Structure formats: structure tokens, C-alpha cells
Amino acid sequence: MAMQVPLWHHYLWAIRSRGAARVQEYQRAEDVLLTVLEHLHTLDPRFLVDYSRDLEAFQFALRSSDGPLDMAVPLSVEAAALLVEEPEAAQTGDGPMSCRLGVPRGGVGLEAWVTDDVFTASSEDSTKCLGHIVPSKVLRVLKDRLVAAIVHCKHHGLIAPGSLNADSLKEEKLGLSLLVSSSWRTICFTVVPVVRRKHRVPALEGAQLTLGFPEDSLKRIIGQGVALVPSNAQLWRVSTDDLLTRLLNALGSLQGHRLDSLSVLDRVNHESWCDGGRNPGLTFGHLKTVLLWASVLFPAPEDWAELQGAVYRLLVVLLCCLATSNLPHFLHPEQNLLHDSGLDLRALYQRVEGFASQPEAALRIHVTHLGRSPPPRLSSGVRALLQLPASNPSYWATAYFDVLLDKFQAFHIQDKDRISAMQSIFRKTKTLGGEDR
């Protein structure tokens, strides 16, 4: 075991050593796009420029994997004056709230948002609502202005040649994807129109979440309001990505290796499980969700005091999700993030279990790390044990995951009550035949 600890830390050090360069590349690409958005604002003042990008840079520095990055474009609208209408048909119960944004009759300062290019008049004879700001129309206008701004900036030398090409601009379902070159790296941004407003977030008001996060951090996040983004052609929805990134940032203020464990697994995922990004696999968003769940399931500081143990907290949650083909959304657990993912979950499970049983091969990044690996941590499989939460959700609890940690020789907790609870669950799983033999 003593030989493994330096290996984990050396792997983390290698990730961190590249972090500063990655942030610089991100900031150069971001500067190019911000320059374009500044001119877009002069063309159409309804679209603002958001310079508060610290959270995005923070998250990018944690990652080794590539993937689209959101660039929010706030709308210059008095959001508190808008009518938020929640159509019954939009409430499916399997995700964040969807709504229409209505313009009230007699609303002050909303004249720019009742023009035909972004607005559709109400077909109903309403005494309160003139009509609605339509996401598909807003996206269409944003795309046209973005193309014009890119052409202007290139023509006047405001951005470096080759740094951005309007031909790469594509209209996605919920935003506009755009490739921006930064040094030798090309970064894909998703430009998303956003309406910021105060709004309740019931998912963050549950007492069970407060255990895993800094005191008062959830209240502070709720107080900052939410971002409404396009949900489909007609509806807006609360952006859970924005909320999850703020929760991730809150974890960074706690002592321990929570964020380090995420960086390590993202690197292993990219290099080993996805073969250097050549094969499809888990996204950073998947792993971020795993960390958020692990932080709630393992709220004790001692769970995160040591790097190797911290990584195994994420691994046991991830393995359970892969074995049951269900990764619950952190804010909307009824939504399965692995549903329709197109991933070969069985093959992915085998890779992740192989790493958890014998991680040394994936952690070796230098010839000096070559040598005999310790024997596998697992003497037998755990897949049947991992599937118990699918049939009984009460297993989604600390004591059950402590059993899994013990199977991987990563349970080093001294708390007597917790040891007793873990042993009780272990005896129950043996009675149920949940342990592979």
C-alpha cells in the first residue's frame, strides 16, 4: 500500500502541472469570443456580454477531457417583470421545470422584446399577457448577429487570423456551437441565450444535501438566482448545469481531496477508459454528478483526507451507477443521465471495475513507475452487490457504500457507529445473496 500512495500523488501532480497552461489556452479562446460578443452587443443591445467567467475557468482547469463549454449571453430584459408560465404539458416530472416567458400588458421597459423577431403575440384573449419571448426566435437572431460580428471583427483585425471561423457556427437544439482556436488547441463553445432571475430551487432546499456542503453555501447559491435557458423551440428551463457548477465550486472550499479525486478520474477516463478520447465514454458532467453524490453520501472530513481513499469514494458510486445503468441527476434524481447515452455500459463497467481492482497500470505515466503491481483488490466480483439499489432504493446510503469501500480495501474509518452500520448492511447483503461468490 505504501508504494501506491506516491503513485496517486505523482499522477495528480502531472495533472496540476498542465492546469495553468490549460487555463491560459481557455482564456485566450474566451478573449476571442468575448471580443466578438462585444461587437454583437453594439449591433443589438438586447444581447449583453457576461464577463463573470471565473466559474467556467475553474471548471476547465479541473478537466483533462475536451468537450463543449457554455458561453452564456444574458438578455437585456427586466426578468422580474416577465410572467413565468408553467404549462401543465411541460411538467413531465423527469427534469427541471420548463416555462414560457410572457410579456405583461403595460410592462415598462419591455418594448425591445415585443418585436416580431423574438416575440409571438398570444392567441388567447388574456388580460395579463401580450405574448411570449420565444427561444427559437431568440436563437435565430443571436445566430445572425453572431455571424455579422465575426465578419466585422475579422475584417477589422480585432481577432487573430484563423482563431475563429463563422463556417463552424452550428445551430444546436439549445444553443449555437462555435469552434475557437487557442494556440494549438481548438475549443468548442456553446453560445446560449440566458435570462437571469430570482427563482425557487426546491431541489436545493432538501435537508439531506446540507450534510455534504459548506454551511450556508446552498442558501447563498439559491440567493444568486437561476439562469433560464432554451428547453425547446417554445419553452425555457432552469439551467441545472449552472447550479451544479456552483455546487462544485462550493466543494472546493472544503478541506480534502474532493476536487482532486474528480481531476484524477477525469484524466483516467479520458486516457484509459476512452482511449485518449478516441472512443465514446463518460463525460466530465457524468463524473461531476458522481462527485456531488459522493459528497452527500460521504460527508465526513475523514472520507476525503487521503487522495486514494477520496478517489475510491467516487469509484464505488460510479460502479453502482454503471451496474444498475442509472446515474441519477443530482437535482432531479428521477432523471437518469445514462438513459439514451449511447454508451456500452457493460464494457464501460468492466473497464472501471478493472481500474478499481488494480489501478496501478493506469496511473503509471513515467518509466520510473514500472514495476510489479500489487495483487487485485477484489478477490471476487461485486456486480450483484452493486445492483442492490436498483431493487431497493434504501441501499442508496452511506452504510451500503461503506460495504463497497470495504470490498475494495478502501474503508479506513474509525467511527464506531459507522462501522456498526456498515457491518449490519454487510450481514444483510449476505443473507440476500447479494455478495458474489
Side-chain angles (χ1 to χ4, degrees), residues 187-357:
I187 297 176
C188 179
F189 286 93
T190 301
V191 182
V192 183
V194 165
V195 177
R196 301 195 185 279
R197 61 171 286 132
K198 298 292 183 181
H199 196 82
R200 275 196 66 211
V201 188
L204 289 182
E205 296 169 6
Q208 72 276 11
L209 295 188
T210 59
L211 290 175
F213 293 88
E215 188 176 358
D216 295 331
S217 62
L218 299 187
K219 289 182 180 178
R220 187 165 56 252
I221 290 172
I222 293 171
Q224 292 169 349
V226 301
L228 298 178
V229 298
S231 177
N232 56 36
Q234 299 296 323
L235 299 173
W236 302 81
R237 64 171 176 84
V238 172
S239 171
T240 54
D241 290 342
D242 180 64
L243 293 171
L244 294 178
T245 300
R246 288 190 243 167
L247 288 171
L248 187 69
N249 185 56
L251 290 179
S253 66
L254 295 173
Q255 293 292 320
H257 290 284
R258 291 168 182 80
L259 299 186
D260 292 338
S261 65
L262 175 61
S263 289
V264 167
L265 274 199
D266 184 64
R267 180 73 179 177
V268 171
N269 176 53
H270 179 71
E271 293 295 328
S272 298
W273 305 339
C274 297
D275 194 21
R278 288 181 286 275
N279 295 326
L282 297 168
T283 66
F284 182 78
H286 288 138
L287 296 177
K288 179 167 68 172
T289 299
V290 169
L291 171 60
L292 293 171
W293 278 119
S295 297
V296 172
L297 291 164
F298 302 108
E302 61 184 312
D303 281 297
W304 306 96
E306 192 266 316
L307 176 60
Q308 182 176 234
V311 173
Y312 272 90
R313 267 68 185 166
L314 271 66
L315 280 172
V316 292
V317 175
L318 176 58
L319 282 168
C320 180
C321 294
L322 293 174
T324 58
S325 301
N326 181 25
L327 172 56
H329 192 291
F330 187 67
L331 299 179
H332 302 278
E334 67 279 0
Q335 182 181 357
N336 179 7
L337 298 182
L338 295 178
H339 180 65
D340 288 338
S341 64
L343 299 176
D344 184 345
L345 298 181
R346 182 176 292 274
L348 187 54
Y349 171 87
Q350 294 296 336
R351 295 189 200 108
V352 177
E353 188 195 88
F355 172 79
S357 181

Side-chain angles (χ1 to χ4, degrees), residues 34 318 391:
L34 288 174
L318 176 58
S391 57

Side-chain angles (χ1 to χ4, degrees), residues 71-271:
M71 172 65 82
V73 177
L75 304 188
S76 178
V77 60
E78 185 56 50
L82 297 176
L83 302 173
V84 176
E85 302 175 352
E86 302 179 21
E88 290 185 12
Q91 304 312 303
T92 61
D94 61 353
M97 180 209 78
S98 294
C99 64
R100 293 192 296 177
L101 293 179
V103 178
R105 293 185 182 277
V108 178
L110 298 174
E111 294 80 9
W113 297 100
V114 293
T115 55
D116 289 340
D117 58 347
V118 295
F119 175 84
T120 295
S122 178
S123 58
E124 304 169 1
D125 186 15
S126 172
T127 59
K128 293 183 178 180
C129 183
L130 279 174
H132 302 90
I133 300 173
V134 182
S136 59
K137 288 189 172 186
V138 173
L139 275 171
R140 198 171 304 124
V141 174
L142 179 58
K143 181 180 180 180
D144 292 343
R145 302 292 189 271
L146 195 52
V147 170
I150 292 171
V151 171
H152 172 89
C153 290
K154 291 178 69 175
H155 182 72
H156 290 84
L158 300 178
I159 57 177
S163 61
L164 197 155
N165 192 330
D167 292 340
S168 72
L169 184 63
K170 296 179 181 178
E171 187 168 344
E172 306 289 348
K173 182 180 179 182
L174 307 178
L176 306 169
S177 67
L178 185 64
L179 298 177
V180 182
S181 297
S182 171
S183 183
W184 59 271
R185 182 185 297 272
T186 298
I187 297 176
C188 179
F189 286 93
T190 301
V191 182
V192 183
V194 165
V195 177
R196 301 195 185 279
R197 61 171 286 132
K198 298 292 183 181
H199 196 82
R200 275 196 66 211
V201 188
L204 289 182
E205 296 169 6
Q208 72 276 11
L209 295 188
T210 59
L211 290 175
F213 293 88
E215 188 176 358
D216 295 331
S217 62
L218 299 187
K219 289 182 180 178
R220 187 165 56 252
I221 290 172
I222 293 171
Q224 292 169 349
V226 301
L228 298 178
V229 298
S231 177
N232 56 36
Q234 299 296 323
L235 299 173
W236 302 81
R237 64 171 176 84
V238 172
S239 171
T240 54
D241 290 342
D242 180 64
L243 293 171
L244 294 178
T245 300
R246 288 190 243 167
L247 288 171
L248 187 69
N249 185 56
L251 290 179
S253 66
L254 295 173
Q255 293 292 320
H257 290 284
R258 291 168 182 80
L259 299 186
D260 292 338
S261 65
L262 175 61
S263 289
V264 167
L265 274 199
D266 184 64
R267 180 73 179 177
V268 171
N269 176 53
H270 179 71
E271 293 295 328

Side-chain angles (χ1 to χ4, degrees), residues 351-371:
R351 295 189 200 108
V352 177
E353 188 195 88
F355 172 79
S357 181
Q358 216 164 12
E360 291 75 23
L363 297 176
R364 289 178 177 133
I365 55 177
H366 192 268
V367 67
T368 58
H369 298 151
L370 295 177

Side-chain angles (χ1 to χ4, degrees), residues 374-389:
R377 290 166 175 265
L378 283 176
S379 57
S380 60
V382 291
R383 187 152 191 165
L385 181 63
L386 287 162
Q387 291 173 331
L388 288 176

